[in-house]
Amino acid sequence: MKVVTGVVGNDIHVVANRLIDLSLRARGFEVFNLGVNTYLEEFFDAAVETGAEILLISSLNGEAEGWGREVKLLKAKYKDLDNLIMMIGGNLVVGSGSAEDIVPKYKNYGFDLVCHQVDLNTGLDSLEEFIQQRNKK
Amino acid sequence: MSQQDNTLLIDVGSTYFKVSNQDSIEQYFRDFNKDILDDLLHRCGDTIQSFDKDDVYICSSANGGLNTLIIGVSNTYSLKYATNIAFNSGINIIDTILYQNIEEYSVPSDLVDVVIIVGGIDSCTGMFTDNLYSYLAKLSYSNIVFVGSEQDAPIIKEKISNLVILPNVIDNKLHIVEDYLKEYLTNLYQQDIEGKEDIKNLYDITANRIYPTPYIVNKALPEIDARYSVVNPFILLDIGGATTDIHYSKDLVDENIVTKNEFDRLVFKKLGVFKSKQSLIFTAKNNEFVYELLMHLKVTENIFNEQSQKATKILMQLAIFLVLCKISHYKKAYINLKLLTINSFVLTGGITKVLTKEEIENIIAFFYKKILTSGHRPVVVLDSNYDIWTLGLKGD
């Protein structure tokens, strides 16, 4: 399956981005890595150009909190992205916060999978599980 | 004049001719009631006749260039990449359609010289549907080229006659591939220029290929240090009668486009001081800072109705300001340049004959203060002797 990934907003955490890229490839995904400092429109446009089924956004410095609010509005402008699996992971708040508060907030922003301060492999396991569940339907 | 050998260089613009030999450089306002060749011979026939056809080199930006329509599936990749390639191929007039909304776009009534269809990496298929063919059926065009997914190419080829298929402009890492489309468009532009009756006649006085002027200017930029002390990064503004061309160092953009060229080109097709004067005034009146700028220049908006040297000067100053607005964060456009990191502004074209260095510096300072709230002052370099054009034309 094709995955578009990258770090959203003004965030240069390239090491995490590289680890996500390597881990996805190791699990057999075809990865389109947009790198750091990526704007939301670039993510969606890359999904259109590549025909990706998954969009995995990472954020390490809390930038996602601002950008996340725009996701639903922007995605609604695209006519063929209804089935795109939307995942976000990393450190999703500025300062500290509990997953109980953060996960519902991001799901409300339009993400199917939200991994706040979750180990990378655990996060990717949940992605594969989500895909399996969706395929069963 | 920097020319050393015995050649005659001629640039045919939409408003002026420039004629340069080893002794002098002259500029003539075009007589639009005359054929270009007749006008040229009338103005400087003796000079032209004194040169062998092999020693006359001509470039032209007259007659508008190719009218291009790009249909792409995303703004960030297909449309942006194809637009970038088209500008760098010397094309001025570009309209774009985001494919998913194609049904909402009106169909241009004028003949489109070239339609470019682009979208999807090579492993993608089914990017285009019947909506594309319905739109194209209503459109009049001379040439059509597909530069999208190789898997879609044969399907589209079946439905569209005369379709030219070239390698994808987007590679599998979502990077730009310029060469094939650039070569195709440059050749098409070339044929277009050579096919225009007015230009065709110019082969009576030259045995050399007639090039598009933007191509010549862009080619000279890597050598610009040979003529001027220009500090990178810089932008070059060519404010002409019909359009304003900007050539800029790639260091000035934070873009997802990684190309081999050191410089990119951008055109504002309705910002000129002669043929596009009315649209320049219209754009000016819609800019909230322009009235303040007019006050700064100690004139009122009545200057727009005047026909004088002073009015032309003001229009040129406005053109500089409006162009800078269009490439700054103030107006989100095709591209926003990092204007605070610019070290030099190079100006070429007719503007160098009308405005002084101080007058240009005055406008640039106003722009930086008002729009960027900065005291940054890039160095202004005037290409008054058309050395850049000479350099490009001679270098070919």
Side-chain angles (χ1 to χ4, degrees):
Chain A
M1 287 181 94
K2 292 176 180 173
V3 186
V4 167
T5 191
V7 186
V8 71
N10 300 306
D11 184 338
I12 55 161
H13 285 89
V14 71
V15 176
N17 170 254
R18 188 82 187 113
L19 289 172
I20 292 168
D21 184 326
L22 290 169
S23 302
L24 283 166
R25 286 178 200 277
R27 288 171 184 246
F29 290 99
E30 188 181 346
V31 182
F32 299 92
N33 187 356
L34 307 183
V36 297
N37 284 337
T38 304
Y39 293 108
L40 273 183
E41 191 180 16
E42 292 176 64
F43 282 109
F44 288 124
D45 281 353
V48 171
E49 299 281 1
T50 59
E53 294 99 332
I54 302 158
L55 176 54
L56 196 170
I57 294 176
S58 65
S59 175
L60 275 298
N61 65 0
E63 276 267 327
E65 202 162 13
W67 293 96
R69 297 187 186 108
E70 310 284 324
V71 165
K72 243 184 206 168
L73 193 67
L74 188 58
K75 194 181 166 204
K77 292 182 183 168
Y78 290 79
K79 292 185 176 164
D80 296 315
L81 294 181
D82 291 347
N83 293 322
L84 185 70
I85 297 172
M86 299 278 296
M87 180 175 184
I88 189 161
N91 177 34
L92 302 180
V93 281
V94 180
S96 58
S98 71
E100 288 77 35
D101 297 328
I102 294 161
V103 173
K105 186 161 73 174
Y106 277 85
K107 288 209 168 176
N108 195 36
Y109 288 159
F111 290 96
D112 301 301
L113 290 158
V114 181
C115 300
H116 173 61
Q117 294 181 351
V118 171
D119 168 73
L120 176 57
N121 277 318
T122 310
L124 295 184
D125 287 345
S126 69
L127 172 63
E128 288 180 332
E129 205 176 306
F130 183 89
I131 295 164
Q132 276 179 4
Q133 292 297 326
R134 181 182 267 203
N135 289 344
K136 277 182 196 166
K137 291 177 192 170
Chain B
M1 183 62 229
S2 53
Q3 218 172 318
Q4 298 302 314
D5 50 0
N6 194 28
T7 54
L8 183 70
L9 311 178
I10 301 171
D11 176 32
V12 182
S14 67
T15 315
Y16 292 94
F17 300 123
K18 293 183 279 289
V19 179
S20 155
N21 60 34
Q22 62 182 353
D23 302 319
S24 65
I25 185 155
E26 283 158 18
Q27 176 173 285
Y28 303 98
F29 193 76
R30 275 181 56 189
D31 178 349
F32 296 103
N33 296 318
K34 282 197 171 106
D35 170 88
I36 293 175
L37 180 63
D38 289 345
D39 198 10
L40 252 179
L41 290 174
H42 173 70
R43 308 289 183 133
C44 45
D46 290 346
T47 311
I48 292 169
Q49 304 298 352
S50 68
F51 283 85
D52 191 90
K53 277 172 83 170
D54 287 331
D55 296 325
V56 177
Y57 294 87
I58 302 177
C59 64
S60 170
S61 56
N63 298 339
L66 292 177
N67 172 4
T68 308
L69 178 70
I70 304 172
I71 302 172
V73 302
S74 81
N75 287 318
T76 315
Y77 300 97
S78 42
L79 285 176
K80 182 175 263 184
Y81 289 1
T83 304
N84 181 275
I85 295 168
F87 275 137
N88 285 332
S89 307
I91 286 174
N92 289 350
I93 306 153
I94 300 174
D95 287 310
T96 57
I97 288 179
L98 183 62
Y99 175 66
Q100 66 159 10
N101 303 329
I102 194 167
E103 289 165 300
E104 295 160 23
Y105 288 84
S106 58
V107 178
S109 50
D110 294 341
L111 178 76
V112 176
D113 293 315
V114 56
V115 178
I116 301 168
I117 305 167
V118 56
I121 59 170
D122 282 343
S123 62
C124 271
T125 187
M127 304 301 287
F128 299 96
T129 60
D130 287 344
N131 287 345
L132 175 69
Y133 312 123
S134 310
Y135 185 88
L136 291 175
K138 291 179 266 175
L139 184 71
S140 308
Y141 54 85
S142 307
N143 302 280
I144 184 160
V145 58
F146 180 75
V147 285
S149 159
E150 67 179 9
Q151 293 201 54
D152 275 346
I155 304 164
I156 294 177
K157 175 89 178 161
E158 259 180 38
K159 303 271 177 79
I160 303 171
S161 57
N162 303 325
L163 180 75
V164 173
I165 294 173
L166 296 176
N168 202 335
V169 294
I170 309 171
D171 72 11
N172 285 336
K173 289 182 174 171
L174 288 168
H175 294 162
I176 188 170
V177 179
E178 298 173 278
D179 295 352
Y180 304 99
L181 181 60
K182 192 171 180 181
E183 188 186 348
Y184 172 80
L185 291 175
T186 308
N187 287 338
L188 216 56
Y189 193 138
Q190 195 68 43
Q191 287 163 19
D192 179 66
I193 280 186
E194 290 175 6
K196 296 227 157 104
E197 281 306 318
D198 260 18
I199 303 288
K200 222 191 262 180
N201 295 340
L202 295 174
Y203 281 103
D204 289 352
I205 56 169
T206 181
N208 299 301
R209 189 173 174 177
I210 299 171
Y211 282 100
T213 309
Y215 170 85
I216 293 295
V217 171
N218 206 275
K219 225 161 56 64
L221 295 183
E223 321 292 333
I224 199 167
D225 290 351
R227 291 285 186 275
Y228 299 111
S229 304
V230 171
V231 188
N232 251 323
F234 70 90
I235 64 171
L236 181 141
L237 286 182
D238 182 356
I239 298 177
T243 61
T244 289
D245 259 53
I246 301 176
H247 300 259
Y248 55 91
S249 312
K250 288 295 243 318
D251 302 348
L252 293 172
V253 277
D254 261 340
E255 286 294 322
N256 57 341
I257 306 180
V258 181
T259 59
K260 285 177 281 181
N261 296 346
E262 285 177 71
F263 302 96
D264 266 344
R265 172 177 176 260
L266 180 58
V267 182
F268 293 106
K269 60 187 174 189
K270 286 181 180 165
L271 280 185
V273 292
F274 186 73
K275 275 192 169 178
S276 311
K277 181 180 159 182
Q278 288 311 320
S279 94
L280 190 151
I281 291 171
F282 179 79
T283 310
K285 285 182 171 173
N286 282 299
N287 185 300
E288 62 188 295
F289 291 97
V290 158
Y291 292 96
E292 208 173 328
L293 175 59
L294 291 176
M295 268 173 64
H296 178 74
L297 296 171
K298 299 184 175 60
V299 292
T300 67
E301 64 179 302
N302 292 333
I303 196 81
F304 294 145
N305 304 321
E306 282 182 27
Q307 303 280 343
S308 62
Q309 175 77 0
K310 187 176 181 188
T312 306
K313 274 191 171 208
I314 298 291
L315 279 181
M316 286 191 164
Q317 286 174 301
L318 279 176
I320 294 173
F321 179 78
L322 293 171
V323 164
L324 291 177
C325 283
K326 279 177 181 281
I327 54 174
S328 72
H329 65 84
Y330 171 69
K331 292 269 181 202
K332 176 76 181 149
Y334 159 71
I335 221 131
N336 295 116
L337 302 184
K338 290 187 268 181
L339 294 172
L340 290 174
T341 62
I342 286 180
N343 284 319
S344 315
F345 270 91
V346 185
L347 290 107
T348 188
I351 195 168
T352 62
K353 303 288 180 195
V354 178
L355 295 182
T356 64
K357 196 175 168 192
E358 290 69 33
E359 286 166 332
I360 294 166
E361 283 170 343
N362 183 8
I363 290 300
I364 291 174
F366 179 88
F367 169 81
Y368 272 90
K369 190 176 162 198
K370 280 287 158 199
I371 305 293
L372 303 182
T373 54
S374 161
H376 184 59
R377 297 286 178 273
V379 174
V380 171
V381 178
L382 290 190
D383 179 35
S384 312
N385 277 338
Y386 299 112
D387 279 344
I388 293 169
W389 159 69
T390 311
L391 199 64
L393 202 50
K394 277 183 70 186
D396 200 80

PDB file of all heavy atoms in Angstrom, chain B residues 346-365:
ATOM      1  N   VAL B 346      18.312  43.768 -10.261  1.00  0.00           N
ATOM      2  CA  VAL B 346      18.833  44.170 -11.562  1.00  0.00           C
ATOM      3  C   VAL B 346      17.632  44.560 -12.413  1.00  0.00           C
ATOM      4  O   VAL B 346      16.646  43.832 -12.456  1.00  0.00           O
ATOM      5  CB  VAL B 346      19.602  43.020 -12.238  1.00  0.00           C
ATOM      6  CG1 VAL B 346      20.242  43.496 -13.536  1.00  0.00           C
ATOM      7  CG2 VAL B 346      20.658  42.452 -11.299  1.00  0.00           C
ATOM      8  N   LEU B 347      17.699  45.709 -13.055  1.00  0.00           N
ATOM      9  CA  LEU B 347      16.594  46.122 -13.923  1.00  0.00           C
ATOM     10  C   LEU B 347      17.083  46.258 -15.347  1.00  0.00           C
ATOM     11  O   LEU B 347      18.140  46.847 -15.602  1.00  0.00           O
ATOM     12  CB  LEU B 347      16.000  47.451 -13.446  1.00  0.00           C
ATOM     13  CG  LEU B 347      15.254  47.277 -12.130  1.00  0.00           C
ATOM     14  CD1 LEU B 347      16.037  47.871 -11.002  1.00  0.00           C
ATOM     15  CD2 LEU B 347      13.868  47.847 -12.218  1.00  0.00           C
ATOM     16  N   THR B 348      16.310  45.699 -16.260  1.00  0.00           N
ATOM     17  CA  THR B 348      16.683  45.797 -17.664  1.00  0.00           C
ATOM     18  C   THR B 348      15.456  46.218 -18.466  1.00  0.00           C
ATOM     19  O   THR B 348      14.375  46.389 -17.915  1.00  0.00           O
ATOM     20  CB  THR B 348      17.275  44.457 -18.164  1.00  0.00           C
ATOM     21  OG1 THR B 348      17.795  44.639 -19.477  1.00  0.00           O
ATOM     22  CG2 THR B 348      16.250  43.342 -18.186  1.00  0.00           C
ATOM     23  N   GLY B 349      15.619  46.412 -19.761  1.00  0.00           N
ATOM     24  CA  GLY B 349      14.494  46.820 -20.598  1.00  0.00           C
ATOM     25  C   GLY B 349      14.338  48.324 -20.617  1.00  0.00           C
ATOM     26  O   GLY B 349      15.179  49.078 -20.102  1.00  0.00           O
ATOM     27  N   GLY B 350      13.226  48.768 -21.181  1.00  0.00           N
ATOM     28  CA  GLY B 350      12.972  50.196 -21.389  1.00  0.00           C
ATOM     29  C   GLY B 350      13.029  51.019 -20.118  1.00  0.00           C
ATOM     30  O   GLY B 350      13.367  52.202 -20.143  1.00  0.00           O
ATOM     31  N   ILE B 351      12.750  50.396 -18.994  1.00  0.00           N
ATOM     32  CA  ILE B 351      12.710  51.109 -17.715  1.00  0.00           C
ATOM     33  C   ILE B 351      14.042  51.805 -17.402  1.00  0.00           C
ATOM     34  O   ILE B 351      14.078  52.868 -16.794  1.00  0.00           O
ATOM     35  CB  ILE B 351      12.318  50.136 -16.574  1.00  0.00           C
ATOM     36  CG1 ILE B 351      11.908  50.902 -15.329  1.00  0.00           C
ATOM     37  CG2 ILE B 351      13.412  49.134 -16.262  1.00  0.00           C
ATOM     38  CD1 ILE B 351      11.248  50.042 -14.281  1.00  0.00           C
ATOM     39  N   THR B 352      15.124  51.202 -17.861  1.00  0.00           N
ATOM     40  CA  THR B 352      16.450  51.754 -17.544  1.00  0.00           C
ATOM     41  C   THR B 352      16.702  53.063 -18.290  1.00  0.00           C
ATOM     42  O   THR B 352      17.622  53.806 -17.965  1.00  0.00           O
ATOM     43  CB  THR B 352      17.569  50.756 -17.890  1.00  0.00           C
ATOM     44  OG1 THR B 352      17.521  50.512 -19.301  1.00  0.00           O
ATOM     45  CG2 THR B 352      17.408  49.451 -17.138  1.00  0.00           C
ATOM     46  N   LYS B 353      15.890  53.293 -19.332  1.00  0.00           N
ATOM     47  CA  LYS B 353      16.042  54.543 -20.103  1.00  0.00           C
ATOM     48  C   LYS B 353      15.156  55.645 -19.534  1.00  0.00           C
ATOM     49  O   LYS B 353      15.274  56.799 -19.922  1.00  0.00           O
ATOM     50  CB  LYS B 353      15.641  54.303 -21.571  1.00  0.00           C
ATOM     51  CG  LYS B 353      16.416  53.201 -22.263  1.00  0.00           C
ATOM     52  CD  LYS B 353      17.842  53.632 -22.533  1.00  0.00           C
ATOM     53  CE  LYS B 353      18.599  52.519 -23.229  1.00  0.00           C
ATOM     54  NZ  LYS B 353      20.037  52.738 -23.193  1.00  0.00           N
ATOM     55  N   VAL B 354      14.224  55.255 -18.684  1.00  0.00           N
ATOM     56  CA  VAL B 354      13.244  56.226 -18.197  1.00  0.00           C
ATOM     57  C   VAL B 354      13.499  56.617 -16.739  1.00  0.00           C
ATOM     58  O   VAL B 354      13.427  57.783 -16.381  1.00  0.00           O
ATOM     59  CB  VAL B 354      11.805  55.658 -18.353  1.00  0.00           C
ATOM     60  CG1 VAL B 354      10.775  56.634 -17.807  1.00  0.00           C
ATOM     61  CG2 VAL B 354      11.507  55.346 -19.815  1.00  0.00           C
ATOM     62  N   LEU B 355      13.803  55.637 -15.892  1.00  0.00           N
ATOM     63  CA  LEU B 355      13.980  55.922 -14.466  1.00  0.00           C
ATOM     64  C   LEU B 355      15.455  55.986 -14.101  1.00  0.00           C
ATOM     65  O   LEU B 355      16.280  55.264 -14.671  1.00  0.00           O
ATOM     66  CB  LEU B 355      13.313  54.830 -13.621  1.00  0.00           C
ATOM     67  CG  LEU B 355      11.789  54.704 -13.696  1.00  0.00           C
ATOM     68  CD1 LEU B 355      11.316  53.603 -12.750  1.00  0.00           C
ATOM     69  CD2 LEU B 355      11.094  56.004 -13.358  1.00  0.00           C
ATOM     70  N   THR B 356      15.740  56.822 -13.126  1.00  0.00           N
ATOM     71  CA  THR B 356      17.111  56.860 -12.620  1.00  0.00           C
ATOM     72  C   THR B 356      17.247  55.822 -11.498  1.00  0.00           C
ATOM     73  O   THR B 356      16.245  55.346 -10.955  1.00  0.00           O
ATOM     74  CB  THR B 356      17.461  58.237 -12.034  1.00  0.00           C
ATOM     75  OG1 THR B 356      16.602  58.455 -10.903  1.00  0.00           O
ATOM     76  CG2 THR B 356      17.275  59.345 -13.049  1.00  0.00           C
ATOM     77  N   LYS B 357      18.493  55.542 -11.169  1.00  0.00           N
ATOM     78  CA  LYS B 357      18.763  54.594 -10.090  1.00  0.00           C
ATOM     79  C   LYS B 357      18.109  55.066  -8.787  1.00  0.00           C
ATOM     80  O   LYS B 357      17.516  54.275  -8.051  1.00  0.00           O
ATOM     81  CB  LYS B 357      20.280  54.481  -9.919  1.00  0.00           C
ATOM     82  CG  LYS B 357      20.713  53.297  -9.132  1.00  0.00           C
ATOM     83  CD  LYS B 357      22.223  53.220  -9.134  1.00  0.00           C
ATOM     84  CE  LYS B 357      22.645  52.201  -8.104  1.00  0.00           C
ATOM     85  NZ  LYS B 357      24.048  52.215  -7.818  1.00  0.00           N
ATOM     86  N   GLU B 358      18.164  56.371  -8.538  1.00  0.00           N
ATOM     87  CA  GLU B 358      17.609  56.934  -7.292  1.00  0.00           C
ATOM     88  C   GLU B 358      16.096  56.753  -7.249  1.00  0.00           C
ATOM     89  O   GLU B 358      15.517  56.447  -6.207  1.00  0.00           O
ATOM     90  CB  GLU B 358      17.962  58.430  -7.158  1.00  0.00           C
ATOM     91  CG  GLU B 358      19.427  58.728  -6.877  1.00  0.00           C
ATOM     92  CD  GLU B 358      20.347  58.410  -8.060  1.00  0.00           C
ATOM     93  OE1 GLU B 358      19.901  58.568  -9.222  1.00  0.00           O
ATOM     94  OE2 GLU B 358      21.494  57.980  -7.823  1.00  0.00           O
ATOM     95  N   GLU B 359      15.457  56.953  -8.395  1.00  0.00           N
ATOM     96  CA  GLU B 359      13.989  56.814  -8.442  1.00  0.00           C
ATOM     97  C   GLU B 359      13.574  55.366  -8.169  1.00  0.00           C
ATOM     98  O   GLU B 359      12.551  55.104  -7.536  1.00  0.00           O
ATOM     99  CB  GLU B 359      13.459  57.281  -9.811  1.00  0.00           C
ATOM    100  CG  GLU B 359      13.477  58.793  -9.956  1.00  0.00           C
ATOM    101  CD  GLU B 359      13.294  59.273 -11.395  1.00  0.00           C
ATOM    102  OE1 GLU B 359      13.673  58.538 -12.340  1.00  0.00           O
ATOM    103  OE2 GLU B 359      12.801  60.389 -11.568  1.00  0.00           O
ATOM    104  N   ILE B 360      14.362  54.446  -8.654  1.00  0.00           N
ATOM    105  CA  ILE B 360      14.054  53.027  -8.430  1.00  0.00           C
ATOM    106  C   ILE B 360      14.306  52.666  -6.963  1.00  0.00           C
ATOM    107  O   ILE B 360      13.494  51.996  -6.320  1.00  0.00           O
ATOM    108  CB  ILE B 360      14.883  52.142  -9.385  1.00  0.00           C
ATOM    109  CG1 ILE B 360      14.436  52.389 -10.827  1.00  0.00           C
ATOM    110  CG2 ILE B 360      14.738  50.662  -9.027  1.00  0.00           C
ATOM    111  CD1 ILE B 360      15.355  51.845 -11.879  1.00  0.00           C
ATOM    112  N   GLU B 361      15.420  53.155  -6.442  1.00  0.00           N
ATOM    113  CA  GLU B 361      15.743  52.891  -5.029  1.00  0.00           C
ATOM    114  C   GLU B 361      14.653  53.439  -4.106  1.00  0.00           C
ATOM    115  O   GLU B 361      14.300  52.826  -3.101  1.00  0.00           O
ATOM    116  CB  GLU B 361      17.094  53.524  -4.677  1.00  0.00           C
ATOM    117  CG  GLU B 361      18.250  52.705  -5.202  1.00  0.00           C
ATOM    118  CD  GLU B 361      19.600  53.415  -5.082  1.00  0.00           C
ATOM    119  OE1 GLU B 361      19.606  54.663  -4.899  1.00  0.00           O
ATOM    120  OE2 GLU B 361      20.627  52.750  -5.210  1.00  0.00           O
ATOM    121  N   ASN B 362      14.103  54.581  -4.488  1.00  0.00           N
ATOM    122  CA  ASN B 362      13.044  55.225  -3.717  1.00  0.00           C
ATOM    123  C   ASN B 362      11.823  54.292  -3.606  1.00  0.00           C
ATOM    124  O   ASN B 362      11.263  54.095  -2.525  1.00  0.00           O
ATOM    125  CB  ASN B 362      12.684  56.537  -4.443  1.00  0.00           C
ATOM    126  CG  ASN B 362      11.634  57.322  -3.696  1.00  0.00           C
ATOM    127  OD1 ASN B 362      11.268  56.989  -2.584  1.00  0.00           O
ATOM    128  ND2 ASN B 362      11.130  58.379  -4.328  1.00  0.00           N
ATOM    129  N   ILE B 363      11.437  53.694  -4.729  1.00  0.00           N
ATOM    130  CA  ILE B 363      10.261  52.796  -4.739  1.00  0.00           C
ATOM    131  C   ILE B 363      10.557  51.526  -3.945  1.00  0.00           C
ATOM    132  O   ILE B 363       9.717  51.042  -3.177  1.00  0.00           O
ATOM    133  CB  ILE B 363       9.903  52.417  -6.202  1.00  0.00           C
ATOM    134  CG1 ILE B 363       9.359  53.630  -6.908  1.00  0.00           C
ATOM    135  CG2 ILE B 363       8.896  51.274  -6.261  1.00  0.00           C
ATOM    136  CD1 ILE B 363       8.118  54.204  -6.266  1.00  0.00           C
ATOM    137  N   ILE B 364      11.730  50.994  -4.146  1.00  0.00           N
ATOM    138  CA  ILE B 364      12.079  49.749  -3.455  1.00  0.00           C
ATOM    139  C   ILE B 364      12.101  49.983  -1.940  1.00  0.00           C
ATOM    140  O   ILE B 364      11.600  49.171  -1.163  1.00  0.00           O
ATOM    141  CB  ILE B 364      13.416  49.193  -3.995  1.00  0.00           C
ATOM    142  CG1 ILE B 364      13.192  48.702  -5.439  1.00  0.00           C
ATOM    143  CG2 ILE B 364      13.940  48.051  -3.118  1.00  0.00           C
ATOM    144  CD1 ILE B 364      14.430  48.272  -6.160  1.00  0.00           C
ATOM    145  N   ALA B 365      12.633  51.143  -1.533  1.00  0.00           N
ATOM    146  CA  ALA B 365      12.664  51.472  -0.107  1.00  0.00           C
ATOM    147  C   ALA B 365      11.246  51.606   0.444  1.00  0.00           C
ATOM    148  O   ALA B 365      10.932  51.127   1.534  1.00  0.00           O
ATOM    149  CB  ALA B 365      13.432  52.776   0.104  1.00  0.00           C
TER     150      ALA B 365
END
